[in-house]
Amino acid sequence: MNFEECLPHMRDVVSCEASLRDISLMWRLIEATARMTCPDGTQGLLSMLAATRQGFESLERDLIASFARQKVANLMVEVGTPARHTIDALVRNLYERTADVGFLATDQVLREFLAGTGERDAEGVTGRLRAYRAKYTVYDAIALLDTEGRVRAAAGSAEGFTHGDHDLVARTLQAEGYVESFGPSRLQPGMQPALVYSQRVLHPSSGQPAGVLCLVFGFATEMAGIFASRHTRNGRANLVVLDGEDRIIASAEPAWMPIGLQVPVSAGEEVSLRTWSGRKYLVQTFAAEGYQGYAGPPGWKAQTMVPLDLAFDTARAGVLDGLEEAVVDGLLSHSAGFCPPLHDIIVAADAVRRVVWNGQVMAPAQQRDERALRTVLEQITDNGSRSDALFSRSIRELADTALAARLSSARFTAQWLVELLDRNLYERANDCRWWALAPELAAALAAGSERARADEATRVLRHINGLYTVYTRLVVYDRSGRIIASSHSMDAHGGGVVGSRIEPDTLSAVLSLPDQQHYHVTPLRPSALYGGQPTWVYHAAIRAPRGGEALGGIGIVFDTAPQLEAMLRGALAGQGDEQAAFVDREGRVLCASDAALAVGGRFDGLPPDMLKLPRGQGAARIVVRDGQYMVLGVSASPGYREFKLCDGYDDQVLAVTLQSLGPVREGRAAARRPQMLTTSRRQGSAPGQEFATFCLGEELFAVRADQVVEAQPSSQVHRLPSVGSSHRVGMLALRRDGLVTRHVSVFDLDALLGGPGTTLSAGGQVVVLRGENFELGLLVSDLHGVWSFTAEQSQHAPWTGDMLPPLVTQLLTADEGRQLIQVLDVQRLREWLSGRAAAARRLTLEAVDLMVE
């Protein structure tokens, strides 16, 4: 994809490009001026300016392109994630339909009706189809056709129709399994397009085809529900479902993109720029992942289409505004992981500040009053300030955009998980009620202790369980709660299931169900039918013929652990650093992808307001958890169709997703540097001593400017194992005109001062110091400035109570005494590192011991 075509529509990137070009030109002018006018002895400054100019030329070429690429990627995370979930949700739903038609086609009542060997009353069979549709509300119509295509019985929108589609009947009669068809159908009013699942019904005696069963899926209703939960009607993008010929068969906004139009697609989920109907669109297309070996109707996919002229016309998300600055600092230190262009900008900003700082310390002190050099240093400072302001603004904007995309993805993933769960459990509530209507099961309970009837019930349960593998077992029990038949007769411990009893509270609830439309679900708790592990068991009453009293019930044991784990794994596919879990309203874990989160334990640290999210609502935010910066997404159970909404069952489940952005760090002092000091600048007329200042966390330190060689990024340090307690972290190569002239050892200043130390990976700067016959580097957080302090602003550091010679011997005050700066004694630092101070301490301690004796 040519990202340059997107640039004119990215106002912030265009502005950044123009500013970069202006600043780059200014660096060229400063370098040229310095070469023509600066005195001898400033070769280091000239080399530094040349490197800066080259760096900005590289930024002009590379940064804008990567900036634009990241903006497109962030946008497509936001609008592409719903498209991916749309096709996956649809295919998972349709997989259940392939199982339904295969099972219902074997229904004994329907087979005997078509064969003419059983129920001959069409009204009675129609009633049975209506009862099925009342439980499986995803179907617009159910029709039973003979081999000539005549409608023998129907429920739903097909009632009153006399004939079905002859071609569909012919194809289905020739097929051994189900047939999936989409197009205009005679089973729909007005020959509207329909998604039909059909399967032949075999004669109960001869095994020859006796007719065809057709299930007409409520495709339009299903897509309206999916679009409602995943598409934001803001006119910025549209979400469509396409067939194998790339024609729209469902559109979130049909007035914009009507059904039936053919649209361009992208290949392999890549983002493509396509022109359609005179307008350019960013397009991303998703085929289904597939489920249980089922890939969905051939060629079907979901696609998001974003008009290029509107794609980037959005306000800043404001993600960073709600975070503490320390957290923002820490997040930015991990920018290379979640937004590489952002990392490039941060590195560039560091380079500019280092240029200004080095420029202030590199010019020989005795020449700083020369007019030409002073002018160059002023230009360096001013252009550095412009660069810093540009980078600071760009950093905030791009970080905000990148993190907003992560939050959007987390929210959609959590939403997808709870929807997936509710859609799955909806089918379980349907299954138990439908199977309770099987005449073989009612006959077994009515026959009491008759063994043949119980064996027949066992056969039926085993047949069902073989088709529906999401269940550990199915059981039938009488009014006393005694199990008389089970699809698997042995429990996990080798004991027999038949003869054991259902829990008393469950039995009471099942026998109290008012009719065949109601069901009962046990709370997620340990069950003997599931090896003592927590599970949901769905129950329905089995009644005497024609809706009589309850003879007992059927319990279907959901294979909870592997099914929930499979949902979590599927949602996190390809996200190695992400975790997910299902929890209840109290934060108790139902299932988690992280083995450390035990089922039944608490998911600690979830914000109380997120545990109280309203039904169907989701939220995402950035949190600090387990020593990590994390994107937290939470979504509350929405229900599906009537399930958990108006069927009397309400089991609130939340989905939680966590994605790590990196370990918590002290942060980059660059993002929260102390304000510029109110003190005499080096160019001023006031006499004083110049000090180079730098940051260690939020504290300011200083050394005399004439003791500074230069500063380099910590990324240039060659790592070495620390030796003893010297706190040496590595070596740094010093260069002149691109050639290495010498190496210096680098020491961690924070560790030397008794702190936890600074990791090189967290970013930072190395200040190279010179003393009498030695050079060394100090690892610090960031650079600050070079300032002139008068004698009145200096004082001796107070005694610390330690017998060791202090490293900080002087304090500087600025901002009318509000700012205190600690001055390091470079010579004492060298002695400390050489071990002389340690030896002096040993001698002192020995003398103290002698005095005590």
Side-chain angles (χ1 to χ4, degrees), residues 520-743:
H520 171 73
V521 188
T522 63
L524 188 69
R525 65 187 184 189
S527 171
L529 297 176
Y530 195 56
Q533 297 301 308
T535 187
W536 287 294
V537 182
Y538 285 73
H539 296 263
I542 298 175
R543 301 181 181 276
R546 305 190 184 281
E549 68 170 353
L551 302 175
I554 181 173
I556 59 178
V557 184
F558 185 53
D559 196 7
T560 303
Q563 294 300 320
L564 296 189
E565 289 170 4
M567 294 179 202
L568 297 177
R569 285 197 306 271
L572 300 182
Q575 303 292 333
D577 58 346
E578 196 166 358
Q579 305 171 27
F582 291 115
V583 303
D584 65 16
R585 285 289 188 182
E586 302 301 319
R588 287 186 293 267
V589 176
L590 309 182
C591 183
S593 61
D594 183 0
L597 295 172
V599 175
R602 292 193 62 83
F603 197 114
D604 293 327
L606 290 178
D609 61 311
M610 298 184 91
L611 286 173
K612 297 176 182 178
L613 282 170
R615 180 192 300 276
Q617 297 298 305
R621 65 184 60 163
I622 293 172
V623 298
V624 176
R625 176 186 172 85
D626 297 333
Q628 299 277 323
Y629 301 111
M630 289 190 169
V631 178
L632 169 67
V634 179
S635 188
S637 175
Y640 177 63
R641 294 182 178 263
E642 71 282 357
F643 181 67
K644 292 188 180 181
L645 295 176
C646 58
D647 63 353
Y649 177 55
D650 185 22
D651 181 23
Q652 292 291 305
V653 176
L654 301 173
V656 179
T657 63
L658 282 169
Q659 184 177 27
S660 174
L661 297 175
V664 172
R665 290 174 176 164
E666 179 186 344
R668 301 178 54 83
R672 60 175 194 275
R673 297 191 308 281
Q675 297 295 316
M676 294 295 101
L677 302 179
T678 303
T679 183
S680 300
R681 296 294 302 274
R682 66 181 190 286
Q683 304 96 323
S685 58
Q689 175 74 48
E690 288 188 335
F691 289 87
T693 59
F694 48 86
C695 306
L696 189 61
E698 293 183 332
E699 295 184 69
L700 272 179
F701 287 81
V703 293
R704 292 203 326 261
D706 60 355
Q707 294 179 312
V708 177
V709 178
E710 64 176 338
Q712 291 290 338
S714 63
S715 59
Q716 298 298 314
V717 175
H718 177 68
R719 297 170 185 266
L720 290 174
S722 180
V723 179
S725 58
S726 68
H727 303 295
R728 185 176 69 158
V729 294
M731 291 191 304
L732 178 69
L734 301 184
R735 291 176 170 82
R736 181 59 53 89
D737 296 327
L739 300 177
V740 176
T741 59
R742 60 196 185 279
H743 290 81

Side-chain angles (χ1 to χ4, degrees), residues 803-804 837-851:
M803 294 182 183
L804 292 174
R841 180 172 188 176
R842 286 196 301 272
L843 292 174
T844 302
L845 292 176
E846 290 173 2
V848 171
D849 290 340
L850 290 173
M851 291 174 62

Side-chain angles (χ1 to χ4, degrees), residues 137 216 402 414 417 479 533 560 633 653 801 817 833-834:
T137 56
V216 182
L417 277 168
R479 287 185 61 86
Q533 297 301 308
T560 303
V653 176
L833 293 173
S834 67

